[in-house]
Amino acid sequence: MTTSAEQAYNELIATHREIAILGSCESLLGWDERTYMPRGGAEGRSRQVALLSGLVHERFTDKKIGELLSVVEESDLVRDTESDAAANVREIRREYDKQVKLPKELVEEMARITSLAQGVWAEAREKSDFSLFEPKLKEVIDLKKRQAEAYGYDTEPYDALIDDYEPYATVTTISEVFAKLRAELVPLVRAIVESGKRPNMSIIENDFPVNLQEEFGKEAAAAIGFDFNIGRLDVTTHPFCTTIGPGDVRITTRFNPKHLGQALFGIMHEAGHGIYEQGLLDENYGTPLGEALSLGIHESQSRMWENLVGRSKPFWENFYPKAQSKFPSLKGVAFDDFFFAINNVEPSFIRVEADEVTYNLHILLRFEIERDLFREKIKPEDLPSAWNEKFKEFFGITPKNDAEGCLQDIHWSAGLFGYFATYALGNLYASQFFAKAENAIPDLKDNFRRGNFSALKKWLNENIHVYGKKYTAEKLCERVTGKPLSHEPMMDYLKAKFGELYGI
Ligand code: ZN
């Protein structure tokens, strides 16, 4: 390797790290805005955030970065495509090209239209009137099509949009896995409904004092490995996880005093995201190797701790006695009745309230609709009817109105097309990784029964977290599990667990 290439690489990394530090200031402002900022601070805050994000964009799209990338790309430094340097360069190039390809005018227009569209969407949802939202939705879709053209794509425009959230994934590969999943999931949901069995939901929809829920949630998060020395938990309307920098990963939740599960599983979910962020290597901070791989892989970590661990029998064999001594309303409730209640499956209209099984159908429906919108098989004005027809087909029920149908999510008004798929990809990756972990750690479930989750956390740290963006999601999945992503591990898991619960 030549010295100049090495110098260029070092300069590239140093610049990238500085940009990451600037970005982390923006993250801290964002966290504060959603947790403790008084309402009056909104205007000043938006100025701070606009200035910082402008600086980040300006520095990242500086021609100098392109020049440094070119020097390194032509050198021996990246000849071994498996090397850390090659991965960093590949990912910085990817980000850089995307940002410079977007005309400034398009970025500004997108920010302006989506900000207006979100206001209109909120009103349309409130009135349950899609026709109010339709003109703005068309504008957003047109801008997203322009964005896809600016990025460029191999097969279809929707590929370019998915790539923003799940790098290197394509409509074709996702469609294949989702179609197989759908073919098995729809009959499973039907069989569950037809079993006629229902848990007694009043067990978890009862009085659960918020202070006790907070203690219990923190205990669960700490037990599974969220480190409170380098993290914290606060309260927000919409739970999230954010990383301020090495040693500072923050999660949030919301409490419902009449429901045990919402905050508890929400905390375990966000703790799962947090454990991933805490598992990234400090020495890679500010480089792609120190960043989470994709939204799908991120979601695989949160869903694993929330569902595969948090809603499992071994977990509760350890935690249920603790829950009973903490919450008086659980005294005298049999373990099996409690376990059934936290694993209730029921077709319902609202995605964010859906259970572990039907949740994926909500995503498959949105993915198919988005795909067909960008293939121009569905026109924006046909969205409500397309939604309701698919809903009936998937769930066997039809929304009464658009508020509980196609207007329920904020994503499309915000221009987040391609985002939904990552939720189901996360569930699929979670099951596939977990099945592998069970093989690799023979006494995994006995560990859970003893309240010990460190073997699983360590396995995730070593096999997934430490690599950051070194591999693509597809490659990581192959490396970790020996196979490409498949619907089978999740279906095996769901059929076994819910087959037993529902006697089907
Ligand atoms: Zn999540």
Side-chain angles (χ1 to χ4, degrees):
M1 90 189 54
T2 64
T3 321
S4 68
E6 219 174 315
Q7 276 170 355
Y9 180 71
N10 290 339
E11 196 180 336
L12 184 67
I13 293 299
T15 311
H16 199 272
R17 195 165 273 144
E18 268 191 23
I19 298 169
I21 293 170
L22 264 181
S24 75
C25 300
E26 214 183 320
S27 303
L28 180 58
L29 292 176
W31 172 84
D32 175 70
E33 185 177 338
R34 294 162 78 178
T35 48
Y36 297 108
M37 186 188 81
R39 236 184 307 164
E43 209 182 311
R45 181 56 42 89
S46 74
R47 271 187 234 121
Q48 292 173 312
V49 170
L51 178 63
L52 271 174
S53 64
L55 283 173
V56 168
H57 182 76
E58 201 176 292
R59 294 207 58 184
F60 196 73
T61 51
D62 190 333
K63 273 201 199 87
K64 181 79 192 190
I65 299 228
E67 287 162 16
L68 293 170
L69 278 168
S70 300
V71 172
V72 181
E73 282 163 344
E74 280 157 25
S75 76
D76 287 347
L77 211 52
V78 295
R79 181 166 295 171
D80 173 8
T81 53
E82 295 271 294
S83 70
D84 287 357
N88 275 333
V89 170
R90 180 194 74 218
E91 288 306 312
I92 296 174
R93 163 63 75 189
R94 188 178 162 275
E95 258 180 282
Y96 177 76
D97 280 353
K98 282 198 136 179
Q99 296 217 18
V100 296
K101 277 177 180 173
L102 282 189
K104 196 164 176 246
E105 161 269 324
L106 180 58
V107 175
E108 285 168 1
E109 187 68 353
M110 189 78 82
R112 191 177 71 84
I113 295 297
T114 52
S115 161
L116 290 171
Q118 286 173 67
V120 174
W121 162 78
E123 193 195 340
R125 185 173 77 156
E126 178 101 22
K127 296 181 177 157
S128 192
D129 183 353
F130 178 78
S131 68
L132 291 175
F133 181 47
E134 191 196 304
K136 276 282 162 290
L137 178 66
K138 278 186 178 153
E139 286 182 56
V140 175
I141 291 174
D142 285 342
L143 287 171
K144 294 306 281 189
K145 284 181 179 165
R146 281 182 56 201
Q147 184 182 335
E149 294 306 323
Y151 281 160
Y153 48 84
D154 285 336
T155 314
E156 53 186 295
Y158 188 37
D159 280 332
L161 303 179
I162 291 172
D163 194 78
D164 270 348
Y165 313 106
E166 198 60 21
Y168 310 102
T170 65
V171 181
T172 315
T173 51
I174 296 175
S175 292
E176 261 173 47
V177 180
F178 281 9
K180 288 179 189 157
L181 178 61
R182 179 184 152 179
E184 293 191 34
L185 202 50
V186 171
L188 177 65
V189 170
R190 198 149 297 159
I192 288 172
V193 171
E194 283 166 5
S195 76
K197 281 185 79 175
R198 287 288 320 272
N200 173 6
M201 292 307 286
S202 71
I203 292 169
I204 55 168
E205 291 163 5
N206 206 329
D207 290 320
F208 295 98
V210 165
N211 62 324
L212 299 182
Q213 284 197 51
E214 187 179 349
E215 283 172 23
F216 195 68
K218 279 186 169 166
E219 202 181 318
I224 61 173
F226 182 78
D227 184 348
F228 280 94
N229 293 312
I230 50 171
R232 53 178 294 132
L233 171 71
D234 295 272
V235 177
T236 41
T237 324
H238 300 288
F240 65 95
C241 169
T242 188
T243 294
I244 311 302
D248 191 352
V249 176
R250 306 184 184 193
I251 59 174
T252 69
T253 195
R254 61 175 160 215
F255 293 101
N256 177 349
K258 300 294 285 178
H259 198 292
L260 176 65
Q262 286 170 9
L264 177 64
F265 294 115
I267 289 170
M268 290 187 76
H269 180 98
E270 298 307 330
H273 283 304
I275 290 167
Y276 185 9
E277 292 287 323
Q278 291 180 340
L280 297 166
L281 300 180
D282 288 359
E283 66 257 36
N284 290 334
Y285 176 72
T287 74
L289 288 187
E291 292 167 4
L293 207 172
S294 70
L295 289 186
I297 298 297
H298 227 307
E299 199 65 7
S300 78
Q301 302 304 293
S302 56
R303 297 291 171 139
M304 189 184 296
W305 289 109
E306 176 195 355
N307 291 328
L308 289 124
V309 178
R311 291 181 208 266
S312 75
K313 242 182 196 160
F315 175 87
W316 284 103
E317 278 163 11
N318 184 270
F319 266 82
Y320 192 54
K322 294 177 189 166
Q324 283 186 308
S325 61
K326 186 152 298 266
F327 303 109
S329 62
L330 289 176
K331 295 222 169 74
V333 174
F335 176 87
D336 287 346
D337 296 336
F338 173 80
F339 186 67
F340 196 11
I342 58 166
N343 282 294
N344 176 40
V345 175
E346 195 180 356
S348 61
F349 297 113
I350 305 296
R351 174 184 62 87
V352 295
E353 292 165 8
D355 56 77
E356 197 182 355
V357 182
T358 59
Y359 190 89
N360 297 292
L361 287 181
H362 287 274
I363 299 308
L364 301 191
L365 177 142
R366 285 158 177 77
F367 173 77
E368 289 183 16
I369 286 183
E370 289 186 0
R371 183 190 61 194
D372 293 346
L373 275 170
F374 285 94
R375 284 180 178 172
E376 297 179 355
K377 282 190 184 166
I378 300 179
K379 294 195 191 84
E381 58 265 35
D382 300 331
L383 192 55
S385 58
W387 181 286
N388 292 350
E389 268 167 42
K390 267 194 203 297
F391 211 92
K392 175 85 181 146
E393 199 186 326
F394 285 20
F395 295 86
I397 49 178
T398 311
K400 286 188 300 295
N401 54 52
D402 293 338
E404 63 176 28
C406 67
L407 285 176
Q408 65 183 273
D409 298 303
I410 194 171
H411 298 59
W412 292 338
S413 65
L416 300 174
F417 286 93
Y419 194 109
F420 282 123
T422 67
Y423 295 128
L425 289 171
N427 283 328
L428 292 166
Y429 280 124
S431 292
Q432 194 156 330
F433 290 148
F434 191 76
K436 186 69 189 179
E438 272 186 294
N439 273 332
I441 312 165
D443 53 355
L444 186 73
K445 292 202 167 151
D446 282 333
N447 282 338
F448 291 179
R449 284 186 192 100
R450 289 192 296 270
N452 183 348
F453 304 93
S454 59
L456 178 61
K457 182 188 163 245
K458 185 166 173 276
W459 187 88
L460 295 169
N461 281 156
E462 288 171 355
N463 288 283
I464 296 170
H465 306 167
V466 295
Y467 292 112
K469 280 187 158 73
K470 177 151 180 162
Y471 305 108
T472 65
E474 201 183 348
K475 185 83 187 284
L476 181 80
C477 184
E478 288 260 10
R479 277 180 58 96
V480 174
T481 71
K483 288 180 185 149
L485 182 66
S486 155
H487 68 296
E488 282 169 7
M490 188 168 82
M491 284 312 304
D492 290 347
Y493 156 71
L494 293 177
K495 281 177 186 167
K497 178 176 172 181
F498 294 95
E500 194 186 322
L501 274 171
Y502 284 89
I504 48 171

